[in-house]
Amino acid sequence: QGPFICTEKTERYGNSSADPDCVVSPQDGSYLAEFLLEKGYEVHGIVRRSSSFNTGRIEHLYKNPQTHTEGNMKLHYGDLTDSTCLVKIINEIKPTEIYNLGAQSHVKISFDLAEYTADVDGLGTLRLLDAIKTCGLIQSVRLYQASTSELYGKVQEIPQRETTTFYPRSPYGVAKLYAYWIVVNFREAYNLFAVNGILFNHESPRRGANFVTRKISRSVAKIHLGQLDCFSLGNLDSKRDWGHAKDYVEAMWLMLQQEEPEDFVIATGEVHSVREFVEKAFKHVGKTIVWEGKDEKEVGRCQETGNIHVRVDQKYYRPTEVDYLQGDSSKALKKLGWRPRVTFEELVKEMVDADIELMRTNPNA
């Protein structure tokens, strides 16, 4: 999933010592960077080298976005697959808070890139933990590890909470399971303040274009503007607990402000299907979708025009499916005072509106 960012907060303990944190520049990282900058942090990012700029979601955070002039956000080249660079950067910045959001985070793609996913998502977390230990920061640093509801996979309990048994169903989920337990191990073995945030699906207009919710909002926007006739999806009946990424980054921060390190489930507690997401998105642009057919022959037809706008394609199915995820975040409410603010309908509307504006100005985006 893109660049890995560290942020630094000044005067947290009543002095001017540097207190960096880490986030990533895709969706979650950009919202977390904004959140921390508003609280007086400086942002240090680890960016993977590319022949083109890959900082689109954080360009507005530069002092001068046109020239990429750094202000309270500074970027460094590095990678979670390179332990030497992690040691070098962490030793230089000497963080007191680290948010590790770096990952190959696309579940379907993890089946095609299983080894790479394990290297970045699993061993990458170990490299980061070892870098903290090597730099002698075990007693001073606080680590947030981005865990995932995909750990639950073939769910053993509904809803899923912190005590629910894990049963991952993808290379991504399995890699994240290793990351989860190695964080727990470092917490227990070395008394490191380290927490796992088991975040359920969270979306926004900044979501990657190949994730299903963004694919839907982009496609609906294009159809609304006459730029597209039809698009294809996989399992329409897959059900997820969807929230807004902007709400969820606040929970990340809150976890590191507690007296003791604990793992938390972050979720809305509501479940909606991919089918429902499609219907809500089209409804927002004045179209009613009527479903016809079964299985791979099922289509979504516009009631007003009779045009088919959605088809099912088996290539978008996963070898092992996760059918139902629903989180119980009552522990986060009780101990962090956290609750989601953005509703499902508001999330869908925001994503569709943002993509309509994007496609109006840049149809090839």
Side-chain angles (χ1 to χ4, degrees):
Q1 181 177 301
F4 177 85
I5 292 181
C6 304
T7 63
E8 170 183 312
K9 184 177 181 182
T10 58
E11 302 186 57
R12 176 175 174 188
Y13 300 112
N15 57 52
S16 59
S17 61
D19 304 332
D21 306 54
C22 298
V23 302
V24 296
S25 89
Q27 171 187 259
D28 292 10
S30 62
Y31 283 117
L32 183 55
E34 288 175 358
F35 179 85
L36 294 171
L37 285 168
E38 289 174 1
K39 289 187 171 293
Y41 288 76
E42 254 179 31
V43 178
H44 290 260
I46 300 176
V47 185
R48 291 178 300 166
R49 193 271 164 187
S50 172
S51 58
S52 59
F53 284 114
N54 54 358
T55 55
R57 295 185 182 93
I58 57 172
E59 282 178 353
H60 63 291
L61 300 177
Y62 283 107
K63 183 177 181 182
N64 186 335
Q66 284 72 39
T67 61
H68 283 202
T69 301
E70 296 176 335
N72 288 332
M73 181 182 67
K74 308 179 191 307
L75 302 179
H76 310 259
Y77 283 112
D79 199 289
L80 282 171
T81 62
D82 186 340
S83 56
T84 303
C85 81
L86 294 177
V87 170
K88 179 183 175 183
I89 294 169
I90 289 175
N91 189 56
E92 175 187 342
I93 300 173
K94 292 192 169 46
T96 57
E97 294 182 8
I98 297 177
Y99 298 85
N100 179 27
L101 312 186
Q104 191 299 105
S105 60
H106 197 287
V107 176
K108 177 65 167 63
I109 291 173
S110 77
F111 286 95
D112 301 320
L113 299 177
E115 182 181 344
Y116 175 74
T117 301
D119 192 17
V120 175
D121 300 15
L123 292 180
T125 303
L126 174 60
R127 291 186 189 102
L128 185 59
L129 288 163
D130 270 334
I132 292 169
K133 187 166 173 278
T134 299
C135 294
L137 299 178
I138 286 285
Q139 301 305 317
S140 59
V141 79
R142 294 188 172 199
L143 172 75
Y144 170 84
Q145 168 63 22
S147 215
T148 172
S149 57
E150 290 289 328
L151 293 177
Y152 298 117
K154 189 175 181 180
V155 298
Q156 304 298 293
E157 178 183 27
I158 296 175
Q160 296 88 55
R161 50 184 63 88
E162 291 82 3
T163 55
T164 301
T165 302
F166 297 136
Y167 196 141
R169 297 266 282 174
S170 67
Y172 169 74
V174 173
K176 282 290 192 176
L177 183 63
Y178 175 85
Y180 174 94
W181 282 115
I182 199 64
V183 165
V184 172
N185 183 249
F186 266 67
R187 182 168 70 208
E188 296 178 351
Y190 305 112
N191 200 31
L192 172 66
F193 192 110
V195 302
N196 287 288
I198 308 173
L199 272 57
F200 280 63
N201 292 67
H202 44 289
E203 318 296 322
S204 77
R206 300 179 192 176
R207 189 57 141 152
N210 60 351
F211 287 81
V212 66
T213 52
R214 187 74 195 289
K215 181 178 181 180
I216 294 168
S217 64
R218 283 167 59 90
S219 299
V220 169
K222 283 178 175 284
I223 289 170
H224 175 67
L225 296 172
Q227 300 169 0
L228 183 72
D229 294 323
C230 184
F231 66 102
S232 298
L233 294 171
N235 184 4
L236 294 171
D237 294 314
S238 180
K239 294 180 174 63
R240 292 293 185 270
D241 185 325
W242 276 306
H244 197 296
K246 196 168 186 177
D247 286 342
Y248 285 39
V249 299
E250 180 184 10
M252 299 176 190
W253 178 78
L254 286 169
M255 289 179 210
L256 293 194
Q257 313 312 310
Q258 304 307 300
E259 291 294 325
E260 299 293 332
E262 293 186 67
D263 304 324
F264 289 90
V265 163
I266 302 299
T268 69
E270 292 184 13
V271 175
H272 302 275
S273 65
V274 172
R275 186 188 302 274
E276 186 178 351
F277 200 107
V278 171
E279 292 168 354
K280 295 284 187 186
F282 273 110
K283 182 180 180 182
H284 186 53
V285 297
K287 291 179 178 290
T288 306
I289 293 296
V290 178
W291 302 100
E292 302 173 358
K294 280 188 175 183
D295 301 323
E296 71 274 6
K297 295 187 183 299
E298 186 170 12
V299 298
R301 190 184 299 276
C302 176
Q303 182 174 283
E304 288 77 16
T305 65
N307 295 331
I308 293 176
H309 290 319
V310 185
R311 295 185 184 277
V312 172
D313 192 328
Q314 287 292 322
K315 77 176 182 180
Y316 295 117
Y317 278 74
R318 304 168 184 175
T320 43
E321 285 285 338
V322 174
D323 297 316
Y324 189 99
L325 292 174
Q326 180 181 14
D328 176 3
S329 59
S330 55
K331 178 181 174 182
L333 174 60
K334 180 180 178 181
K335 295 198 171 186
L336 305 178
W338 180 89
R339 57 163 52 90
R341 298 185 181 92
V342 181
T343 67
F344 177 70
E345 287 204 10
E346 289 170 342
L347 171 65
V348 175
K349 289 176 181 178
E350 181 183 341
M351 291 180 68
V352 172
D353 285 342
D355 276 326
I356 289 174
E357 186 60 31
L358 174 64
M359 298 309 164
R360 272 205 184 106
T361 57
N362 187 4
N364 297 320

